[in-house]
Amino acid sequence: MRKILIVVDMQNDFVTGALGSEDAQRILPGVRAKIEAYHKEDAEVIFTRDTHGEDYMQTNEGKHLPVPHCMKGTEGWQICSALTEGLCAEKDYTVVDKPSFGYTGWLDVIAAQEADGSDLQIELIGVCTDICVASNALILKAFYPEATVRVDASCCAGVTKEAHTAALQTMKSCQVEVTNEV
Ligand SMILES: [Zn+2]
């Protein structure tokens, strides 16, 4: 079994910046511990980065959410240093820049041995539970129907607590395994 941890959008803008939240700050230690655990067993870690350009306000996302964030190259776009400093060297992880909620390049990034994903155990954590975590969990289920796709609820934060809980329920309905739900 190939174990892969996907850390979704744990960037400064989603934690302490333009779209930051206390819930996102609260999960930082748990997310760090999880990354550490994967490193210890030599498993793969992939960070995703929400990535926007100068035209953000003209994009569909910008029209619905008129708060510029994660502009490529800015401090807000960077992954929280608390998740890499003293923990990961750049060779220890892969970074995926994604222009929208769900990433469509997973087949190339993961390059699974088995096309149906039967050799994969994928765990997702990060923010926001109800947007990018859910989008990518469901995309991965579509690409890899035989993979185990898991979400650790204690290492995810939603736009609101209600949206977080609702997204976990939707993912469970779609046979994503949800662990550590309180
Ligand atoms: Zn965005």
Side-chain angles (χ1 to χ4, degrees), residues 16 23 26-27 52 59 85 87 115 134 147 153:
T16 51
D23 282 343
R26 193 175 38 78
I27 65 169
H52 297 298
T59 64
E85 258 171 28
L87 183 60

Side-chain angles (χ1 to χ4, degrees), residues 5-20:
L5 177 69
I6 300 178
V7 184
V8 178
D9 295 4
M10 288 299 289
Q11 296 156 272
N12 292 320
D13 268 347
F14 286 126
V15 179
T16 51
L19 295 169

Side-chain angles (χ1 to χ4, degrees), residues 80-92:
C80 291
S81 57
L83 299 180
T84 51
E85 258 171 28
L87 183 60
C88 307
E90 261 173 59
K91 61 169 176 51
D92 296 334

Side-chain angles (χ1 to χ4, degrees), residues 7-174:
V7 184
V8 178
D9 295 4
M10 288 299 289
Q11 296 156 272
N12 292 320
D13 268 347
F14 286 126
V15 179
T16 51
L19 295 169
S21 72
E22 275 178 26
D23 282 343
Q25 288 159 31
R26 193 175 38 78
I27 65 169
L28 271 176
V31 171
R32 187 178 161 96
K34 179 79 77 174
I35 294 167
E36 204 165 8
Y38 271 72
H39 279 331
K40 280 210 174 110
E41 39 177 324
D42 251 343
E44 292 164 65
V45 176
I46 301 173
F47 287 94
T48 69
R49 271 191 305 216
D50 191 37
T51 301
H52 297 298
E54 294 300 323
D55 64 343
Y56 175 74
M57 295 298 272
Q58 282 79 55
T59 64
N60 201 310
E61 184 183 326
K63 285 174 190 156
H64 288 87
L65 175 66
V67 181
H69 62 277
C70 298
M71 310 300 273
K72 191 171 183 164
T74 63
E75 188 57 30
W77 173 69
Q78 305 291 347
I79 292 158
C80 291
S81 57
L83 299 180
T84 51
E85 258 171 28
L87 183 60
C88 307
E90 261 173 59
K91 61 169 176 51
D92 296 334
Y93 58 87
T94 304
V95 179
V96 160
D97 289 341
K98 59 181 183 57
S100 60
F101 304 142
Y103 183 59
T104 54
W106 288 121
L107 289 177
D108 291 331
V109 170
I110 292 175
Q113 210 82 34
E114 306 293 337
D116 61 5
S118 51
D119 58 337
L120 299 177
Q121 240 178 57
I122 304 171
E123 181 167 25
L124 296 100
I125 56 176
V127 294
C128 295
T129 324
D130 44 315
I131 308 176
C132 290
V133 175
S135 294
N136 286 292
L138 298 183
I139 284 176
L140 286 159
K141 287 290 284 185
F143 280 144
Y144 297 121
E146 294 302 323
T148 300
V149 178
R150 188 176 291 143
V151 166
D152 183 336
S154 71
C155 291
C156 293
V159 173
T160 63
K161 287 190 169 55
E162 293 72 23
H164 168 81
T165 304
L168 294 176
Q169 186 53 55
T170 299
M171 288 191 277
K172 278 191 274 186
S173 299
C174 297

